[in-house]
Amino acid sequence: MSLTSPNVLALSGGVGGAKLAVGLRDVLPSEALTVVVNTGDDFDHLGLRICPDMDTLMYTLSGLANATVGWGQEGETWQFLNAMKRLGGETWFGLGDRDLATHVMRTRMLAEGESLSAVTAKLMRQLGVEVAVFPMTDDSVATEIECQSGDILAFQHYFVRDRCEPKISGVRFKGIAEAKLAPEFEALLDADALSSIVVCPSNPFVSVAPILELADSWLKLKAMNCPVVLVSPIVGGEALKGPAAKMMQELALPSTALAVAEFYHQRYPGLVDGFVLDEIDANAAAEVAALGMEPLITGTVMKSAEDKQALAKDVLAFSESLAQ
Ligand code: FO1
């Protein structure tokens, strides 16, 4: 733990990011952590604005999450969806009854002109989340999947409706050229008061890339005078959650932790100072180091609260060693 007061920025997608965010929250003073979340998965559905990665963070940090499924709330009921089915409505996207309240509240506040950042802060506060969690932008950025068939799919159509079955040839982020950093994100990058930047174990292509490509934030992050530590989302050739490994194969990349390091090295040269590998991938350490990233080998599979806290402590100590 750094002697000066730590001030950590974590960049997160959904499930993997949320787990490490819980670990960081548990080992840091609550005012020492800010989580910036991907909004590329967000979409309008049945007239509601849905923000999946943000809601995974919110439910996970507030203890409401259905941890096994990875989205939505524990103990959820499905009366709304059953009623939609009876009326012939769309039911491919699973909207639980409790979860529905989040989408209704968010959609109402946005319709009243509040920014996504302001809406997020209100919902987080209402659910007792003390960590600062913000969207990467208040503007519209929509991840689209370019399929090898030539189709372009909205992210949730790819991920949920089509169950990640289409083969992908590329990813793009509609609106990203015009979108601005959310105010709190911008303020952190300008303040230069961060002690550490942690890129959580989220999908590089559809969860982390939108954040790094937004307003070229990766260049500002790289220029900060604090270490950038990235936790590999691929462990032993597998993504612990979601389609990252499958995407890599379809993008003609080996689905390995080293290939993740090479992706970041090519796309965001000089950004990543420290690369955290799981013990099962220890044999990649020398090649990761050859990319100019300091490797750290530790347990990165987070099942228990202790696992999350242990990884968070390792990441923060690693970051501090890189800052020396
Ligand atoms: N993912 C699914 O695989 N099936 C669903 O029916 C589903 C519903 C859903 C509802 C609200 C929400 O916030 C997320 C939901 N997700 C569902 C997960 C979501 O598609 C993913 O969390 C992200 O977009 C990928 O990280």
Side-chain angles (χ1 to χ4, degrees):
M1 201 67 75
S2 89
L3 296 177
T4 58
S5 57
N7 189 11
V8 179
L9 167 63
L11 305 183
S12 176
V15 178
K19 288 183 175 179
L20 185 53
V22 164
L24 289 166
R25 182 223 30 214
D26 289 351
V27 302
L28 284 166
S30 60
E31 72 283 353
L33 175 63
T34 301
V35 186
V36 166
V37 183
N38 166 47
T39 59
D41 295 9
D42 299 5
F43 77 129
D44 292 317
H45 182 59
L46 303 174
L48 298 168
R49 185 72 182 156
I50 315 267
C51 304
D53 282 351
M54 184 58 75
D55 289 348
T56 294
L57 259 293
M58 181 164 72
Y59 293 155
T60 303
L61 287 167
S62 61
L64 292 175
N66 178 326
T68 37
V69 168
W71 50 269
Q73 295 190 28
E74 189 58 48
E76 184 62 282
T77 52
W78 306 93
Q79 296 311 312
F80 166 75
L81 214 56
N82 295 337
M84 282 292 284
K85 192 176 176 71
R86 241 193 324 272
L87 294 170
E90 282 183 87
T91 56
W92 59 270
F93 193 73
L95 290 175
D97 300 328
R98 293 178 177 77
D99 189 35
L100 186 59
T102 301
H103 310 311
V104 169
M105 286 294 287
R106 175 180 288 122
T107 304
R108 278 295 310 122
M109 290 191 269
L110 290 171
E112 284 158 4
E114 300 215 46
S115 68
L116 183 58
S117 291
V119 169
T120 301
K122 281 190 177 171
L123 293 172
M124 290 284 174
R125 195 167 42 250
Q126 198 62 35
L127 292 182
V129 175
E130 290 174 2
V131 170
V133 183
F134 293 99
M136 67 185 198
T137 179
D138 289 339
D139 300 320
S140 167
V141 173
T143 298
E144 295 179 325
I145 302 295
E146 296 164 346
C147 302
Q148 291 177 14
S149 64
D151 289 340
I152 308 286
L153 292 179
F155 183 76
Q156 297 302 338
H157 287 167
Y158 165 78
F159 189 87
V160 180
R161 192 195 61 193
D162 302 350
R163 289 180 304 286
C164 303
E165 281 159 11
K167 292 196 180 322
I168 90 165
S169 57
V171 181
R172 57 189 190 189
F173 311 119
K174 196 165 76 178
I176 199 150
E178 299 76 34
K180 293 183 297 301
L181 300 177
E184 302 284 338
F185 187 15
E186 175 91 71
L188 275 179
L189 298 187
D190 291 347
D192 213 1
L194 291 174
S195 58
S196 177
I197 296 162
V198 177
V199 182
C200 294
S202 297
N203 186 308
F205 314 106
V206 293
S207 299
V208 180
I211 303 174
L212 297 181
E213 309 277 331
L214 176 67
D216 271 343
S217 74
W218 76 275
L219 288 170
K220 291 188 174 174
L221 290 162
K222 177 183 166 182
M224 306 283 282
N225 65 357
C226 72
V228 176
V229 173
L230 186 140
V231 179
S232 174
I234 297 285
V235 171
E238 291 298 317
L240 297 177
K241 187 85 185 166
K246 175 179 179 285
M247 286 176 155
M248 292 177 85
Q249 283 147 19
E250 291 164 6
L251 293 169
L253 296 170
S255 55
T256 62
L258 176 59
V260 171
E262 285 166 344
F263 166 77
Y264 281 98
H265 176 66
Q266 267 136 32
R267 186 102 170 242
Y268 312 106
L271 173 66
V272 178
D273 301 304
F275 192 87
V276 182
L277 291 160
D278 188 80
E279 283 130 354
I280 198 171
D281 296 312
N283 56 2
E287 291 164 282
V288 166
L291 296 171
M293 302 176 189
E294 189 62 36
L296 173 78
I297 296 158
T298 187
T300 65
V301 180
M302 296 175 277
K303 289 191 168 53
S304 66
E306 293 72 27
D307 296 340
K308 295 165 191 168
Q309 292 158 17
L311 180 56
K313 280 183 187 149
D314 287 349
V315 165
L316 292 173
F318 183 38
S319 173
E320 192 172 333
S321 74
L322 294 170
Q324 247 74 7

